[in-house]
Amino acid sequence: MSQYSNDVDAIASLRQAQGSAWAAINPEHAARMRAQNRFHTGLDIAKYTAKIMREDMAAYDKDSSQYTQSLGCWHGFIGQQKAISIKKHFGTMKKSYLYLSGWMVAALRSEFGPLPDQSMHEKTTVPMLIEELYTFLKQADAWELNHYFRDLEEAKEAGDDVAAKKAQEKIDNFETHVIPIIADIDAGFGNEEATYLLAKKMIEAGACAIQLENQVSDVKQCGHQDGKVTVPHSQFLAKINAVRYAFLEMGVDDGIIVARTDSLGAGLTQQIAVSNEPGDLGDQYNSFIAGEEIKDASEINPNDVVIKQSGKLVRLQRLASGLFEFRKGTGEDRVVMDCIASLQNGADLLWIETEKPHVKQIAGMVDRIREEVPNAKLVYNNSPSFNWTLNFRQQVYDAWSEEGKDVSAYDRDNLMDVKYDDTELGQVADEWTRDFQKEGAAKAGIFHHLITLPTYHTAALSTDQLSKGYFGDEGMLAYVKGVQRKELREGIATVKHQDMAGSNIGDDHKEFFSRESALKAGGKDNTMNQFG
């Protein structure tokens, strides 16, 4: 017996116990509303989605082809339409997540207006967006189920048992649009207490996975910009602990922490780490700071900062800003150290921010990490900050050069040129791009592939194309041909925008509440009927 049928019976018993006072209550309608609102709180969602992620992580450990994916979404409607599209095209939401990007919150959701990705936006905007995304995903459930319930009622009224059975099966086997969100908490927006407080709000809103980076929170930079400053491990691990405590306090015992390291591109540190004994994490962190050896104390000037590195006195290089530089070429070693320390101290997944999408480079670091933590797994940013076309064409060019293949027909520095689109190199590069996720999952430990900012770019591109035609010679044809006709022919639900926004659900509720006196919007004069 389905949950819906159980609810109908339970509510019928309640109605009977209340006598005539509940005579207007239809148990099927009440059970229908309950089915359309499965999740009552964000914590319900966080607990449900954490379980999904843990199961997916275990499945990936057994079979690397079982990787997961997400797209970054900056508005609830965008997230909703992404989920509806996945379900329409693939029949399931499995292995599909949402990503909440701090970059897009800063650029699109701050009350200050567009901001750079430097943690200047209101931190409360992050849990607000999580809540908004889940509000829209829950509405997608209600919208889809509403159609199935209408089909069921129509079939029963028509006496069509076959159609009624089909509709009932869709209701009983319904798969929710509510999927995990990996949510970006940047560098924690302050000290560890600030990180804990914000993490709690994010979890209350529904986040089952929180991504935290090892930059200094007050000078945080986008991972693809210069000037990144990392913190000693003790500070980062304290924030990992803060997020874990937040999960445990909220009862999400299997919440996921994604530890992001920016060390590959970060050449600066604000602080010298505290070290209690040679070889500890503090000592290892400090060993990478650039400096020059001095022979005795008489060489020390009043403003010098001097530490011991491998038993030698070293005067550290300090910039005018007061920051210290790491030695050039140490980024990968620092990444490996960051990742091992994070996994050994409470993190569940890793995020390595790289400067290019190169499977061999990522695999080289992951292999080193797995020497210490064999089941280490990555969340990887398939970033729009990469020029994917140029990167992969250059990768193919370099591979062919190493093989001794003639590449004289290609200019490596100008491979973005359109003239290379239909060449053998261009086609092979596209194949490598297509296979990047599969190859990365198999060879580089990438459990989750995401694109941080895709819907920022798609919104800009589609708006540009419509504006170009509508305000130009095409006029209204630009909208009809470029938008509405495609919606109709490709089965995009938004073509019936009133229905998508909940008009039919509202009409049905009015009928539940007011019965024959209900004033409904979906009559014969509703122009939405033109779309069938």
Side-chain angles (χ1 to χ4, degrees):
M1 200 174 197
S2 70
Q3 184 61 49
Y4 169 69
S5 299
N6 289 336
D7 287 340
V8 171
D9 292 344
I11 296 168
S13 297
L14 283 172
R15 171 185 158 175
Q16 185 175 9
Q18 295 296 324
S20 60
W22 281 25
I25 300 300
N26 183 322
E28 290 189 6
H29 291 166
R32 171 175 167 177
M33 293 171 74
R34 186 176 289 181
Q36 290 174 260
N37 185 26
R38 172 180 172 181
F39 301 98
H40 299 149
T41 69
L43 284 177
D44 290 341
I45 292 171
K47 292 174 182 177
Y48 169 77
T49 53
K51 184 174 182 291
I52 290 174
M53 275 197 73
R54 290 288 178 181
E55 291 172 350
D56 287 347
M57 290 161 66
Y60 174 82
D61 285 340
K62 295 178 181 177
D63 179 0
S64 64
S65 70
Q66 300 301 302
Y67 61 88
T68 57
Q69 299 170 277
S70 66
L71 297 175
C73 298
W74 53 272
H75 190 278
F77 176 73
I78 300 295
Q80 178 199 67
Q81 292 306 302
K82 185 197 102 166
I84 288 173
S85 175
I86 291 169
K87 195 172 181 183
K88 179 184 76 173
H89 290 293
F90 305 104
T92 182
M93 301 302 301
K94 295 185 187 306
K95 311 298 181 187
S96 300
Y97 303 168
L98 292 181
Y99 179 68
L100 186 153
S101 161
W103 191 101
M104 285 207 285
V105 172
L108 299 170
R109 300 302 299 260
S110 173
E111 291 186 9
F112 292 104
L115 293 172
D117 183 25
Q118 295 172 354
S119 291
M120 294 188 291
H121 57 278
E122 309 88 340
K123 60 185 176 183
T124 52
T125 308
V126 181
M128 288 168 61
L129 179 53
I130 296 169
E131 183 177 7
E132 177 182 293
L133 284 161
Y134 280 126
T135 296
F136 274 81
L137 292 182
K138 291 196 296 179
Q139 195 265 356
D141 281 0
W143 164 79
E144 186 174 332
L145 278 166
N146 193 68
H147 282 277
Y148 295 157
F149 280 117
R150 281 188 163 202
D151 292 343
L152 179 61
E153 287 192 349
E154 289 176 8
K156 287 181 175 179
E157 289 174 4
D160 188 339
D161 293 338
V162 174
K165 183 179 179 181
K166 184 178 180 180
Q168 187 67 58
E169 287 175 350
K170 289 181 178 179
I171 294 166
D172 294 342
N173 298 312
F174 180 77
E175 183 180 350
T176 179
H177 295 85
V178 171
I179 50 180
I181 287 178
I182 298 175
D184 186 1
I185 201 171
D186 284 0
F189 287 89
N191 64 14
E192 58 268 41
E193 175 70 4
T195 301
Y196 152 76
L197 292 171
L198 179 55
K200 277 210 308 180
K201 288 292 184 185
M202 293 168 68
I203 296 162
E204 283 181 320
C208 73
I210 293 177
Q211 168 210 327
L212 175 69
E213 61 200 66
N214 69 336
Q215 290 192 47
V216 176
S217 61
D218 59 346
V219 290
K220 177 253 190 297
Q221 297 277 20
C222 172
H224 291 277
Q225 293 183 314
D226 204 356
K228 294 183 290 294
V229 184
T230 63
V231 297
H233 294 89
S234 60
Q235 293 184 27
F236 188 55
L237 299 181
K239 290 186 177 182
I240 287 176
N241 289 338
V243 175
R244 180 64 65 204
Y245 272 109
F247 273 125
L248 293 172
E249 179 180 338
M250 305 310 293
V252 186
D253 297 346
D254 51 357
I256 291 95
I257 298 174
V258 182
R260 168 177 154 176
T261 174
D262 281 288
S263 289
L264 197 62
L268 302 168
T269 182
Q270 192 176 54
Q271 296 180 2
I272 300 168
V274 174
S275 174
N276 296 312
E277 59 183 50
D280 64 11
L281 273 176
D283 185 46
Q284 291 179 59
Y285 186 84
N286 294 339
S287 72
F288 292 110
I289 303 176
E292 59 177 347
E293 184 182 353
I294 56 177
K295 298 301 182 181
D296 59 63
S298 65
E299 298 181 42
I300 301 174
N301 298 313
N303 292 321
D304 286 345
V305 176
V306 178
I307 65 171
K308 267 191 173 182
Q309 288 182 343
S310 302
K312 300 175 182 178
L313 280 179
V314 174
R315 178 191 293 118
L316 300 184
Q317 293 179 6
R318 185 162 56 168
L319 305 178
S321 61
L323 299 172
F324 299 94
E325 284 190 293
F326 289 112
R327 296 197 314 276
K328 305 298 183 186
T330 63
E332 183 171 314
D333 290 337
R334 286 183 282 122
V335 164
V336 172
M337 179 174 63
D338 295 343
C339 291
I340 292 171
S342 297
L343 291 175
Q344 290 179 338
N345 289 274
D348 302 291
L349 295 169
L350 301 171
W351 173 311
I352 299 174
E353 195 68 78
T354 66
E355 81 286 359
K356 60 182 178 294
H358 197 292
V359 171
K360 188 175 180 179
Q361 177 201 27
I362 303 164
M365 290 183 282
V366 171
D367 288 345
R368 292 178 62 188
I369 295 163
R370 284 182 165 178
E371 290 175 8
E372 297 290 331
V373 187
N375 68 338
K377 292 180 284 297
L378 293 187
V379 171
Y380 187 74
N381 177 9
N382 295 271
S383 177
S385 294
F386 303 144
N387 184 332
W388 287 78
T389 300
L390 181 60
N391 264 286
F392 275 93
R393 287 180 180 179
Q394 289 181 337
Q395 287 181 41
V396 172
Y397 180 99
D398 293 342
W400 284 1
S401 296
E402 289 178 14
E403 294 169 6
K405 188 169 181 175
D406 182 12
V407 292
S408 60
Y410 304 99
D411 179 355
R412 188 183 188 280
D413 293 332
N414 295 299
L415 288 173
M416 189 66 195
D417 196 307
V418 67
K419 69 183 182 181
Y420 296 121
D421 286 0
D422 295 324
T423 63
E424 182 187 5
L425 184 146
Q427 292 169 0
V428 171
D430 282 351
E431 291 171 4
W432 286 22
T433 305
R434 178 197 63 203
D435 295 339
F436 175 76
Q437 292 174 313
K438 181 175 65 176
E439 292 292 302
K443 298 176 181 177
I446 301 176
F447 157 72
H448 185 77
H449 282 276
L450 61 89
I451 308 178
T452 44
L453 320 175
T455 53
Y456 176 89
H457 293 278
T458 55
L461 178 61
S462 61
T463 302
D464 174 80
Q465 295 302 298
L466 175 59
S467 299
K468 178 183 176 183
Y470 180 72
F471 292 99
D473 294 338
E474 285 188 284
M476 193 57 197
L477 180 61
Y479 175 78
V480 173
K481 185 178 178 181
V483 180
Q484 190 179 77
R485 195 177 294 168
K486 287 186 176 180
E487 284 182 307
L488 280 164
R489 291 176 177 172
E490 296 182 25
I492 308 298
T494 52
V495 72
K496 296 185 179 182
H497 48 261
Q498 306 284 13
D499 174 40
M500 191 74 256
S503 178
N504 286 344
I505 295 173
D507 271 2
D508 288 350
H509 287 174
K510 290 174 187 176
E511 190 171 2
F512 298 168
F513 308 152
S514 301
R515 294 184 288 184
E516 63 275 0
S517 62
L519 180 63
K520 298 192 289 185
K524 63 180 178 63
D525 293 327
N526 188 324
T527 58
M528 194 167 62
N529 294 332
Q530 296 175 38
F531 300 107

